[in-house]
Amino acid sequence: MSSSSASPQTPDGSVSASGPSEASPDGHDHPLPDSTLRRRDLVAAGAALLLFAAMAGIGGWLQRDSYVLRSPFPPLEAWWRPHVGGGTPLAVAVAVLVVGYGPPLAARLPWRALPWVAWTAAMAWTWSLALVDGWRRGIAGRLMETGEYLTQLHRFDDLGPALRTYTDHILINSPQHWTTHIAGHPAGAVLTFVGLDRIGLSGGVWAAAFVMTTGTSLVVAVLVTLRLLTGEQKARAAAPFLVLAPGMVWVGVSADGYFAAVAAWALALLAVSATRTSPTARAAAGAGGGLLLGGACYLSYGLVLLVVPAAVVLLCARSARPVPYVLAGAAVVVAAFTAAGFDWWQAYGLLRTRYFQGYGGVRPYSYWFFGDLATVVAAAGLASVAGLRRVMAGVPALVRARLSGDRRSIAAVLLPCGFLSAMLAADLSGMSKAETERIWLPFTLWLPACAAFLPRGDHRGWLATQALAALLLNHLLLTGW
């Protein structure tokens, strides 16, 4: 990235020789003062903050006489409960260190070391945020609460019959119906925790450690993908923002953080496959990506929407050669679950029925369509919004060029568009009303990478904004799940 605030970046990371510019309504790029661009960043972030505040205010007003939205602190699944805990000083220390030293370290560390350092920092950030709620509430007991996976693991002692009769217990009026999360997800989600239990890693602490360790590895997967598709410079600049993403509040501890990591590694392997010239490497990475894509769909029904960012990855790499290997890998997962007796389509149909039997049937779509978008602001952070504005400013130029420009410029614009499109599709479906701050983690946790396009001199300020958002969310609210 450019170190000069007077020389802005183009979407491919290069510096414009003619000074700051953005596409204007007449279809041409005109020089703009740097102060104007920064003002637009602040306006975009302010508008996003206003959206969240408006949805919180409207939500509180709608629930003044009744629990119509079925959410304790709409648009978030949380309770207003200001508190501090043992993780408070740790979280503040991690935030200060990443804000102060993250950008220069990300720029100077050898590439082989950077992903490991970023992963370590993300784990420190996530663990400290979880510990704000205390050891029991924040970590050891989080995945042991009513509705969670670990409460019914005993019903999988005989695995074969449990899978073959899985769909018999999804509906809320069925005998011995599953808890909320088991009923609401394909069998792969609960089988993960069954597997941990079988190898001796039983209980809430091991489950939490697994979720946070795997969930924070998403940072590495995103960096690998960005380096391949948008260039190393952008990946380096994005690293500190990925670490301090406010969404890490829900990675620690929610199984959706683990789902997000599986999805991210699937896309990373797809990018590796699409950019390799060796047929063996392409086939291995493509098959691995297919296995993880298929696996992701058996962790969460909504992750079938990964087909959108997956297609974007291939488009950015300008290669369809991985497709046969990806399909073969995904087919292995589908065949294995089907042979074991779990019917994904039947289960999803029943899940839709159960969804509307519960809160999904009474939560008003008119509120939650916008409320869900407000949760994206909370999980991705204001720096993501400002960076996304910079990225989207390049769309008119790419359209005029008919996507014939530099591959990295195209990837910089199309990647966030892929994740935004997936979330919009989920929002329009009516099957994502509330709790999307955690459910959409596989998509929202990619958006902080957009902050790499902000002026380098502004990075510390925007990082501080990200950290402050996470600290306020975690200390003012007691988050659900």
Side-chain angles (χ1 to χ4, degrees):
M1 295 185 68
S2 169
S3 59
S4 170
S5 61
S7 299
Q9 301 150 319
T10 58
D12 64 352
S14 62
V15 178
S16 172
S18 60
S21 65
E22 287 189 5
S24 60
D26 63 2
H28 298 284
D29 291 340
H30 296 294
L32 290 173
D34 191 65
S35 59
T36 300
L37 299 181
R38 282 191 166 93
R39 192 180 305 116
R40 290 182 177 182
D41 296 338
L42 292 174
V43 168
L49 184 60
L50 182 61
L51 170 65
F52 181 84
M55 298 318 297
I58 293 171
W61 180 77
L62 288 174
Q63 296 204 135
R64 68 194 186 283
D65 297 322
S66 64
Y67 199 52
V68 62
L69 299 181
R70 301 300 195 274
S71 183
F73 189 83
L76 300 177
E77 185 70 12
W79 293 262
W80 178 261
R81 197 168 299 171
H83 63 287
V84 295
T88 298
L90 296 174
V92 172
V94 173
V96 169
L97 288 173
V98 176
V99 170
Y101 299 100
L105 272 177
R108 296 169 188 167
L109 280 174
W111 173 258
R112 289 186 178 182
L114 178 59
W116 293 101
V117 172
W119 188 6
T120 301
M123 279 198 286
W125 177 237
T126 305
W127 274 89
S128 62
L129 288 173
L131 285 169
V132 169
D133 293 342
W135 176 257
R136 177 66 188 171
R137 175 67 177 85
I139 294 178
R142 178 60 69 94
L143 291 170
M144 298 290 292
E145 293 180 356
T146 302
E148 285 288 358
Y149 303 97
L150 272 61
T151 59
Q152 293 189 329
L153 294 190
H154 62 280
R155 294 177 60 180
F156 290 85
D157 289 341
D158 199 344
L159 200 55
L163 286 176
R164 288 192 293 273
T165 61
Y166 194 96
T167 55
D168 296 341
H169 308 289
I170 291 177
L171 297 181
I172 204 165
N173 55 357
S174 61
Q176 295 182 304
H177 65 262
W178 297 121
T179 60
T180 301
H181 279 308
I182 297 179
H185 293 82
V190 68
L191 288 185
T192 299
F193 299 101
V194 171
L196 288 175
D197 185 71
R198 293 281 177 91
I199 63 174
L201 303 180
S202 58
V205 175
W206 282 114
F210 170 80
V211 166
M212 284 194 280
T213 301
T214 56
T216 51
S217 75
L218 171 140
V219 171
V220 181
V222 176
L223 289 177
V224 169
T225 307
L226 292 177
R227 184 174 185 246
L228 290 171
L229 299 181
T230 67
E232 185 173 317
Q233 192 177 37
K234 282 294 177 284
R236 287 178 176 276
F241 291 98
L242 293 168
V243 168
L244 288 185
M248 291 299 179
V249 168
W250 292 280
V251 173
V253 187
S254 161
D256 294 87
Y258 155 57
F259 304 160
V262 173
W265 280 109
L267 296 176
L269 286 174
L270 184 58
V272 170
S273 178
T275 55
R276 286 294 179 269
T277 56
S278 165
T280 302
R282 184 187 309 128
L291 284 169
L292 291 181
L293 281 171
C297 293
Y298 279 84
L299 294 174
S300 173
Y301 295 106
L303 288 182
V304 294
L305 291 172
L306 281 174
V307 68
V308 178
V312 169
V313 167
L314 295 176
L315 180 61
C316 292
R318 298 180 181 176
S319 173
R321 288 177 294 184
V323 171
Y325 308 113
V326 172
L327 293 177
V332 170
V333 178
V334 174
F337 273 97
T338 303
F342 177 77
D343 187 327
W344 191 98
W345 284 106
Q346 181 188 25
Y348 176 66
L350 291 168
L351 177 274
R352 283 184 61 88
T353 301
R354 171 151 180 175
Y355 182 77
F356 290 102
Q357 285 178 330
Y359 282 175
V362 294
R363 282 173 169 159
Y365 180 80
S366 56
Y367 172 85
W368 283 111
F369 178 84
F370 299 100
D372 289 345
L373 300 179
T375 69
V376 176
V377 175
L382 298 181
S384 303
V385 176
L388 187 61
R389 189 209 69 78
R390 294 254 177 172
V391 172
M392 292 298 104
V395 171
L398 286 180
V399 171
R400 290 197 303 272
R402 297 181 182 179
L403 299 180
S404 61
D406 177 74
R407 178 173 62 85
R408 292 178 176 179
S409 301
I410 295 171
V413 173
L414 292 186
L415 276 176
C417 285
F419 294 106
L420 290 172
S421 298
M423 287 187 282
L424 181 59
D427 208 11
L428 289 169
S429 74
M431 290 290 291
S432 292
K433 288 182 285 188
E435 304 170 39
T436 49
E437 64 270 22
R438 64 169 182 85
I439 296 171
W440 288 356
L441 285 176
F443 309 112
T444 53
L445 288 180
W446 286 76
L447 298 183
C450 294
F453 290 85
L454 295 167
R456 191 172 186 177
D458 295 350
H459 279 199
R460 283 195 173 98
W462 285 111
L463 278 169
T465 302
Q466 295 288 87
L468 181 61
L471 291 171
L472 287 174
L473 285 168
N474 219 48
H475 285 83
L476 296 178
L477 304 174
L478 189 63
T479 56
W481 307 116

